[in-house]
Amino acid sequence: VGAAVCLVGGLVQSCLSPTLPLPPPSDPTVSGPDAQGNVRITGYVLPDSEVFVLNHRNNAIAGQLTNDGSYDFTIQAAQNDAMTIWYVQETVQSPTTDFVVTKAPGEP
């Protein structure tokens, strides 16, 4: 990948290419809550990212560094808790995606 060259005031300088915005994360798969009051959050984001989830009810934040883009972690949460997921790649933050903890059909 070659560096971009910028002409500023008659001087040639190297400059960085503009950073493209990251796509928002898709809705994660949510399992639980379990007997300890945790839900399991799984899904995919862009590789080499840090993914985070915020529980708006209790202000808990959990996350994971992912090299291949897959994530799988737990966070304290209960039925109907409003959550937000996002990820960071280098210094760029993705838009957020909101979701609510609900039981899957057939889950007790």
Side-chain angles (χ1 to χ4, degrees):
V1 176
V5 176
C6 296
L7 183 61
V8 179
L11 299 172
V12 176
Q13 298 179 339
S14 66
C15 62
L16 299 174
S17 329
T19 303
L20 295 174
L22 298 173
S26 57
D27 286 339
T29 300
V30 180
S31 305
D34 62 16
Q36 291 77 37
N38 294 310
V39 296
R40 182 177 178 190
I41 308 290
T42 60
Y44 293 92
V45 294
L46 293 179
D48 299 317
S49 298
E50 292 178 88
V51 61
F52 301 95
V53 171
L54 166 67
N55 182 330
H56 293 279
R57 179 184 58 84
N58 60 14
N59 290 320
I61 296 178
Q64 180 180 7
L65 176 63
T66 175
N67 293 320
D68 66 0
S70 65
Y71 59 87
D72 185 341
F73 59 91
T74 60
I75 184 171
Q76 285 204 322
Q79 280 300 110
N80 301 316
D81 280 0
M83 313 280 269
T84 298
I85 186 169
W86 72 97
Y87 63 99
V88 176
Q89 195 175 56
E90 295 182 11
T91 59
V92 180
Q93 181 175 312
S94 74
T96 59
T97 299
D98 296 325
F99 63 98
V100 174
V101 175
T102 58
K103 289 190 179 186
E107 245 184 65

